[in-house]
Amino acid sequence: MIAFLGKRLLVAVGVTLVITFLTFLLLFVSGDPATALAGAASRAEDVEKIRALYGLDRPILVQYADWLGNALRGDLGQSLFFQLPVVDLLAGRLPVTLTVGALAMGLALAISVPLGIVAAVWRGGVIDRLALVLAVVGQAMPTFWFGLILIVVFGMMVPILPISGADDWRGYVLPVIVLGYYATPAIMRLVRSGMIDALQSDYIRTARANGLLGPTILLNHALRNAIVPLVSLTAVQFGFLLSGSIVVESVFALNGLGRLGWESIIRSDLPTVQAIILVLSGIFILLTTCADILTAWIDPRARVH
Amino acid sequence: MADRVIPTVKVDAGLNDIAGPTPLQLFAHRSLRNPGLLLGTGFLLAIAAISFLGPLVFDLDPYGQNLLKRLKPPFWMAGSDPAHLLGTDHLGRDYLSRLVHGARISLSIGFLVAAVSGAIGVTLGIVAGYFRGSIDAAVMFFVTARLATPIILVALAVVAVVGSSLQTVILVLGLLLWDRYALVTRSVTLQLREQEFVIAARAAGFSQARVLLFTVLPNIANPIIVVATLEMAQAILLEAALSFLGLGVEAPLPSWGLMVSEGKEYLLFDPWVIAIPGIALLLLVLSINLVGDGLRDVTAPEGRT
């Protein structure tokens, strides 16, 4: 277990380094930040002065090491647009994205787990078929379009919910529905197929032969084994939700991390973009690492891989 | 789902027929009993035929503007113009023409992205699964890093840097969507490398490259094709999302995502402006997913639940 933990953490650190270096490289080749900072009307010697002032004339590896050292101390640089520390900027925006993501994940689990169980137990039945349609449509529906359709419905036909911004909890309802539905099909399919496998296995047949009742078998024996892979899928999906919230946030005008990322890309606010990519991939790595450790703890077979 | 009846074989026909139906017969037999596959294939072929043949037969101009005929509604609504079956957009361009040309863009993006990412992912996966050891560890590391990358954000950033165009979008998505190919190819190669015919090919002294290309690759084609359909659908949805956010393909091109984006100013009073391209996207992705699910059921029926 200790060896597994060590290996897993090493990979997590390595992945973070690779991703941050690649984004650093990407933004480095994206144009001259000194020229952007100095403005269009600047003279060549002004640009040179700014380049030296911000240390942009040094080799890229040195700059990266510098950025990394600062990031480890909690300093992600200054936003070129807001003239504020990026950390403060993100601290204001992250809670919105995390709230939407967590609620959407909760909604997706609340729908997909019971639906997947019912679909597996009454395989081929009405609910199974409905669940399949729900999953197939959910996988094919563009999230931004679903959001706009909800805006039409709740903005024009039944105006009971706000269609943009998040002044109070009601502003979160529509974004959470859109993102939650996006995450539902994958989880439901996994629960359904896991339950079907579990219900066909020998230990379930033994439990049945020993006279245990249906619900006990279902919840204590089948579900327990079926949800082991759900741990890591939930972590992965949550990560996807956070990085996918960029679309939903721009549709519903939520002031979250994704929208900030999109606006910063358009404004060429490179330190902010860099920091958001770091935070989003960092959260993903943290989640999946925790999920791996949790899975290994529940299921010793997972420690081998 | 479909019944498992296999065509009967004449027993008196001779030794060669004892093996039962040929793989092709079996494939045809199972395909014809898979309604999802038939429906998806039919729909996909119809979209492809309309989008590539339509402009040759009819006069479909997706760019011609007519500011006197702005936002004309489609045929089922009052005030429609018989010259524009699906109405006109905010610049008076014929919506049907834009929709048909947009299908070309979506289909080309789907095919090309699936090809680019397939080339990367299959190469990585087959090498990792066949050679195992440190090569495998390195490939898995890159897969982990790729999964932790927030794709929409990174794709937006790259498009912003390089400039939005069809080629950029295809290349960026191709470089980002190879992870599932790599994982699937790796796991099937791991199973296959221990099989007798692969060991025999190796023992016969064929070069590694020859064994990989002519012995392993043809036998893992089925799962790769299934992944290709999934990635095609994914690429079409992502391109639509990027174009919707304004950093996908350039403006006059009739990308469906761009059509939704341009229509969102008018969505409260003319919701059909976003409904039409959105439903087109939904149906296209739905039919590709049906083909993918159907092919998986047909080619690997033992794994289906």
Side-chain angles (χ1 to χ4, degrees):
Chain A
M1 190 69 189
I2 305 257
F4 171 81
L5 271 179
K7 218 172 106 187
R8 201 60 198 78
L9 290 177
L10 204 66
V11 170
V13 172
V15 166
T16 319
L17 286 178
V18 167
I19 292 179
T20 50
F21 183 67
L22 287 180
T23 37
F24 201 83
L25 208 64
L26 165 75
L27 300 175
F28 192 81
V29 298
S30 70
D32 187 1
T35 320
L37 269 175
S42 60
R43 290 167 304 169
E45 55 261 43
D46 295 334
V47 175
E48 284 313 310
K49 234 180 260 171
I50 285 178
R51 206 188 299 281
L53 186 67
Y54 283 84
L56 296 169
D57 49 353
R58 298 168 301 161
I60 180 163
L61 269 174
V62 176
Q63 287 191 46
Y64 174 69
D66 198 33
W67 177 84
L68 193 68
N70 285 333
L72 284 175
R73 282 190 298 262
D75 175 14
L76 291 169
Q78 288 279 117
S79 159
L80 302 182
F81 180 80
F82 291 100
Q83 297 299 333
L84 277 170
V86 173
V87 175
D88 296 350
L89 206 55
L90 297 196
R93 303 293 191 103
L94 189 59
V96 177
T97 302
L98 284 180
T99 310
V100 175
L103 289 175
M105 200 64 226
L107 179 70
L109 285 172
I111 295 174
S112 53
V113 173
L115 206 55
I117 295 174
V118 172
V121 173
W122 288 282
R123 212 170 139 191
V126 181
I127 294 183
D128 189 16
R129 274 157 205 268
L130 277 179
L132 183 70
V133 171
L134 192 80
V136 168
V137 172
Q139 276 174 327
M141 186 134 67
T143 43
F144 60 91
W145 185 71
F146 185 37
L148 292 176
I149 293 298
L150 288 184
I151 286 181
V152 172
V153 171
F154 288 99
M156 286 292 283
M157 299 172 193
V158 259
I160 50 168
L161 288 168
I163 54 173
S164 83
D167 301 327
D168 59 4
W169 64 271
R170 297 187 312 148
Y172 284 106
V173 175
L174 296 182
V176 165
I177 292 176
V178 172
L179 266 188
Y181 187 29
Y182 165 77
T184 299
I187 302 177
M188 201 205 69
R189 286 185 167 205
L190 186 77
V191 172
R192 180 180 177 274
S193 65
M195 280 301 278
I196 286 174
D197 283 350
L199 288 175
Q200 287 171 343
S201 60
D202 292 339
Y203 63 86
I204 294 295
R205 236 183 306 160
T206 312
R208 241 187 253 282
N210 285 334
L212 284 182
L213 291 173
T216 320
I217 293 176
L218 212 60
L219 297 177
N220 285 358
H221 300 266
L223 187 61
R224 247 188 202 197
N225 286 284
I227 60 165
V228 173
L230 192 65
V231 175
S232 58
L233 184 71
T234 304
V236 168
Q237 287 285 327
F238 191 57
F240 287 168
L241 282 189
L242 290 184
S243 58
S245 72
I246 183 167
V247 174
V248 174
E249 282 172 20
S250 72
V251 168
F252 291 103
L254 288 181
N255 269 324
L257 212 55
R259 184 142 176 259
L260 179 67
W262 177 58
E263 288 167 348
S264 303
I265 286 171
I266 288 175
R267 295 178 194 131
S268 317
D269 188 350
L270 303 183
T272 312
V273 177
Q274 169 90 45
I276 292 174
I277 293 178
L278 170 69
V279 168
L280 285 178
S281 50
I283 293 176
F284 184 90
I285 293 165
L286 191 70
L287 283 171
T288 47
T289 308
C290 289
D292 280 359
I293 294 171
L294 192 62
T295 309
W297 181 62
I298 303 173
D299 183 358
R301 283 172 302 180
R303 289 174 211 166
V304 189
H305 299 299
Chain B
M1 296 250 295
D3 53 310
R4 289 170 185 241
V5 181
I6 286 167
T8 46
V9 195
K10 284 176 284 173
V11 184
D12 59 340
L15 199 62
N16 287 336
D17 290 335
I18 290 176
T22 64
L24 198 65
Q25 282 171 336
L26 210 57
F27 178 78
H29 179 83
R30 287 176 182 154
S31 302
L32 291 176
R33 274 157 194 75
N34 190 312
L37 180 60
L38 293 181
L39 199 71
T41 313
F43 205 79
L44 201 56
L45 287 178
I47 294 179
I50 293 171
S51 68
F52 286 96
L53 299 178
L56 302 177
V57 181
F58 303 101
D59 180 27
L60 295 170
D61 177 11
Y63 302 114
Q65 302 182 4
N66 184 349
L67 292 177
L68 295 175
K69 285 186 174 182
R70 298 172 67 240
L71 291 168
K72 287 277 174 203
F75 67 89
W76 64 85
M77 289 170 71
S80 62
D81 183 336
H84 303 288
L85 273 184
L86 290 181
T88 57
D89 70 359
H90 62 294
L91 294 175
R93 295 176 292 197
D94 182 44
Y95 229 44
L96 180 62
S97 305
R98 292 184 68 74
L99 201 70
V100 168
H101 279 268
R104 287 183 175 191
I105 295 180
S106 284
L107 284 172
S108 334
I109 283 184
F111 270 114
L112 293 172
V113 170
V116 173
S117 55
I120 301 171
V122 171
T123 310
L124 288 176
I126 203 170
V127 166
Y130 189 77
F131 294 108
R132 298 188 296 189
S134 53
I135 296 178
D136 186 25
V139 169
M140 288 309 282
F141 179 80
F142 281 110
V143 170
T144 316
R146 158 48 207 97
L147 281 172
T149 312
I151 6 178
I152 299 187
L153 207 60
V154 170
L156 285 174
V158 176
V159 174
V161 168
V162 185
S164 56
S165 73
L166 201 58
Q167 291 92 317
T168 315
V169 172
I170 291 170
L171 212 60
V172 169
L173 292 182
L175 289 173
L176 283 172
L177 293 180
W178 49 266
D179 50 294
R180 200 164 3 191
Y181 279 111
L183 287 175
V184 170
T185 310
R186 172 182 174 271
S187 74
V188 285
T189 308
L190 274 174
Q191 290 164 17
L192 208 67
R193 73 185 299 283
E194 307 298 341
Q195 303 243 333
E196 271 98 0
F197 69 95
V198 179
I199 298 172
R202 230 174 328 175
F206 291 139
S207 69
Q208 309 271 31
R210 201 194 143 123
V211 174
L212 282 180
L213 279 177
F214 296 103
T215 312
V216 177
L217 195 58
N219 286 290
I220 57 174
N222 287 341
I224 293 174
I225 292 169
V226 173
V227 174
T229 63
L230 290 176
E231 295 307 341
M232 219 180 129
Q234 182 78 357
I236 290 172
L237 284 177
L238 275 173
E239 179 274 326
L242 294 183
S243 298
F244 174 76
L245 291 171
L247 287 168
V249 301
E250 314 123 285
L253 278 180
S255 150
W256 289 347
L258 206 56
M259 286 168 76
V260 173
S261 170
E262 289 166 352
K264 77 174 187 273
E265 308 290 316
Y266 312 94
L267 95 167
L268 288 182
F269 301 104
D270 297 300
W272 56 267
V273 175
I274 62 156
I276 290 173
I279 290 171
L281 261 174
L282 179 68
L283 289 177
L284 177 60
V285 175
L286 189 70
S287 55
I288 295 174
N289 282 340
L290 284 178
V291 171
D293 286 355
L295 282 179
R296 192 193 46 218
D297 289 348
V298 166
T299 55
E302 59 283 348
R304 84 177 156 196
T305 42

